[in-house]
Structure formats: C-alpha cells, structure tokens
Amino acid sequence: MRTLNPDELARLAKSDRQLKVSALVVVVMMFAVLGVAVASGAPQLAGLSGPLGIGVAAMMLGPHRRLVEELGLTRREAKRVLREQRRRQRASAGN
C-alpha cells in the first residue's frame, strides 16, 4: 500500500465524507418519495424506487472511485487508510 501525503489524505477523507452525506440524503429522499407514492395510491412508483436507488448510488460512487484510482489505491486500501486516519484523529482528540 502506498503512503499518501497530507493533501491526498485530505482529498480522500473529503470525498468519503461527501459520499456518506450524499448517501444519507438520497436514502431520506427515497423514503419520502416512497411514502408519498404509497400514500397517494401509486404502487407502480414504489416499484421504481429500487432501480432508481441503484442508479443514483452508481452516480454517487463515480467521483469517489475515480479519486481512489487516481491515488493509486484499491478500494480495500482506501478503506484501510480512512480507518487509520479516523483512529489517529480519535487518539489525538482523546489526549
């Protein structure tokens, strides 16, 4: 696994944070749309929520995957780097 400089690490952490926030917003919106569809008696709209969710998730993952590839990491390595960064931040916050 290659070592990231502080700028690359910050870019990876920012991308991961943006991905998590985007995922949360999409999940909330999907539940809202699903709730409105069911309440309005339009079950065919509810059936579209799965494929729509998959499509939106694929679009959200694109920029993050490109950054991981640009940094020369695998997804597993990127997760490990982010996990280690969180551990370091928790350790420094606890002292």
Side-chain angles (χ1 to χ4, degrees):
M1 180 172 75
R2 92 179 190 68
T3 305
L4 299 178
N5 66 42
D7 181 50
E8 292 171 330
L9 185 57
R11 288 176 57 206
L12 182 62
K14 180 180 178 183
S15 176
D16 184 60
R17 191 170 40 256
Q18 288 174 336
L19 180 62
K20 288 178 181 179
V21 169
S22 297
L24 179 64
V25 168
V26 167
V27 167
V28 169
M29 293 300 296
M30 292 298 292
F31 276 113
V33 168
L34 183 62
V36 169
V38 170
S40 69
Q44 65 274 17
L45 289 177
L48 293 175
S49 63
L52 183 62
I54 291 170
V56 169
M59 288 186 341
M60 288 180 356
L61 281 173
H64 184 71
R65 285 186 178 169
R66 276 194 300 274
L67 176 63
V68 169
E69 290 174 6
E70 178 185 319
L71 295 175
L73 300 172
T74 64
R75 290 185 327 193
R76 182 175 285 166
E77 290 171 337
K79 287 180 183 180
R80 187 180 312 136
V81 166
L82 290 167
R83 188 172 43 246
E84 290 171 3
Q85 175 65 12
R86 283 191 295 271
R87 285 183 188 154
R88 283 192 296 271
Q89 287 176 342
R90 286 184 191 138
S92 67
N95 291 334

